[in-house]
Amino acid sequence: MGITALLFLILFVNSKAVASGEAPPLYESVLFVGDDRVAGPFGNAVDRYLRTIAVDVNTVAVCGSTADTWIGVSSDYAPSSCGFWQRNEEGQESVSKEVKRRLIPEELAKANPDLTVIALGTYMLNNSREMENQRDAIGKILNEVEKVASKCIWIGPPRQKKDPFAANLGAGVKTLKDILKKRSCDFVDSSNLSTAEVIRSIEKLNRPSAKDVRELENVVPGSIGPPSQAPR
């Protein structure tokens, strides 16, 4: 969704919300995907936040997954404490200790999201070769997100306690930053952030800038502020 269309949606639902007294959703549809972290307390907290700003949210966690497993290049999964977790648009949960493979093109086609949130990167910290191997897969995921014209936010891996993940965290974050700065996808470096701080970062990225709002006022007259007076 382009910035003008997104802002128009925000302003439209805000005007309806003012009349009804209800908090407006920012998005019609959100897709949230990732690895083990999405299946745990962190993912549940982000999922709850996303459901306050969107009509439909579909959250899918494939434990042990890396970017290439989401595009069908690899069917191998790293050892993890969980297998699969999902909370669909109706809020219904599906849990399995066995991995259920999901592909990002299929999930995007089903959700047709206005916002796609991706939390991947932990398992590529295993070694420097794996980080380089994931570059192409990350690019392909971003290509798929761009195809559906979805706003994109990528959440990087959290702080790590054990090597080799802890030793490679800095290099992994840099790899993601280098890839994402050339693409239309915002990056949230969560390596030194609490869950609440990550959510605040996402919230900040979802807010239109003052400049965007001013520009939209010229596109949709009277949608913000008092109506302009007609010339006498």
Side-chain angles (χ1 to χ4, degrees), residues 162-176:
K162 297 180 180 180
D163 287 333
F165 299 96
N168 291 326
L169 178 60
V173 169
K174 183 179 184 302
T175 297
L176 286 168

Side-chain angles (χ1 to χ4, degrees), residues 24-25 33 48 50 72 88 101 103 107 113 157 160 184 194 205-206 223:
V33 301
R48 284 194 298 271
L50 293 174
N88 65 16
R101 190 176 182 182
L103 300 178
E107 296 302 319
Q160 303 294 310
S184 55
S194 67
L205 290 170
N206 284 326
S223 59

Side-chain angles (χ1 to χ4, degrees), residues 190-210:
S190 70
S191 59
N192 288 307
L193 299 179
S194 67
T195 297
E197 288 170 334
V198 169
I199 291 173
R200 282 197 291 271
S201 296
I202 297 173
E203 184 179 27
K204 185 177 180 180
L205 290 170
N206 284 326
R207 296 174 188 163
S209 68

Side-chain angles (χ1 to χ4, degrees), residues 31-46:
L31 176 65
F32 178 30
V33 301
D35 53 28
D36 312 39
R37 197 180 183 198
V38 175
F42 171 82
N44 275 272
V46 174

Side-chain angles (χ1 to χ4, degrees), residues 17-224:
V18 168
S20 66
E22 298 176 355
L26 294 178
Y27 302 101
E28 286 292 323
S29 176
V30 172
L31 176 65
F32 178 30
V33 301
D35 53 28
D36 312 39
R37 197 180 183 198
V38 175
F42 171 82
N44 275 272
V46 174
D47 176 87
R48 284 194 298 271
Y49 161 71
L50 293 174
R51 290 176 193 273
T52 68
I53 63 169
V55 177
D56 292 320
V57 176
N58 185 30
T59 298
V60 184
V62 177
C63 300
S65 64
T66 51
D68 56 4
T69 57
W70 283 88
I71 59 169
V73 172
S74 173
S75 58
D76 295 329
Y77 298 89
S80 64
S81 58
C82 60
F84 174 86
W85 179 81
Q86 179 178 17
R87 182 176 289 130
N88 65 16
E89 293 86 349
E90 286 74 39
Q92 299 170 332
E93 289 189 39
S94 299
V95 183
S96 172
K97 291 186 177 181
E98 296 182 3
V99 170
K100 294 184 179 182
R101 190 176 182 182
R102 291 295 179 89
L103 300 178
I104 195 70
E106 295 174 359
E107 296 302 319
L108 288 167
K110 287 186 290 186
N112 190 26
D114 303 309
L115 170 65
T116 302
V117 181
I118 303 162
L120 287 172
T122 296
Y123 286 102
M124 75 176 191
L125 302 177
N126 192 44
N127 55 64
S128 57
R129 184 179 62 184
E130 182 65 18
M131 284 186 273
E132 286 304 309
N133 289 343
Q134 292 299 316
R135 282 182 176 270
D136 185 57
I138 293 167
K140 288 181 178 178
I141 286 178
L142 297 175
N143 289 343
E144 295 297 326
V145 175
E146 289 171 2
K147 284 180 185 178
V148 298
S150 172
K151 179 179 173 65
C152 175
I153 297 174
W154 194 297
I155 304 172
R159 182 180 303 162
Q160 303 294 310
K161 296 181 180 179
K162 297 180 180 180
D163 287 333
F165 299 96
N168 291 326
L169 178 60
V173 169
K174 183 179 184 302
T175 297
L176 286 168
K177 283 183 176 178
D178 288 346
I179 297 170
L180 293 167
K181 70 182 180 182
K182 302 173 185 176
R183 308 296 294 265
S184 55
C185 188
D186 294 306
F187 179 63
V188 175
D189 179 2
S190 70
S191 59
N192 288 307
L193 299 179
S194 67
T195 297
E197 288 170 334
V198 169
I199 291 173
R200 282 197 291 271
S201 296
I202 297 173
E203 184 179 27
K204 185 177 180 180
L205 290 170
N206 284 326
R207 296 174 188 163
S209 68
K211 178 176 179 292
D212 290 331
V213 172
R214 286 196 300 271
E215 290 178 351
L216 191 62
E217 286 179 316
N218 297 324
V219 176
V220 190
S223 59
I224 305 179

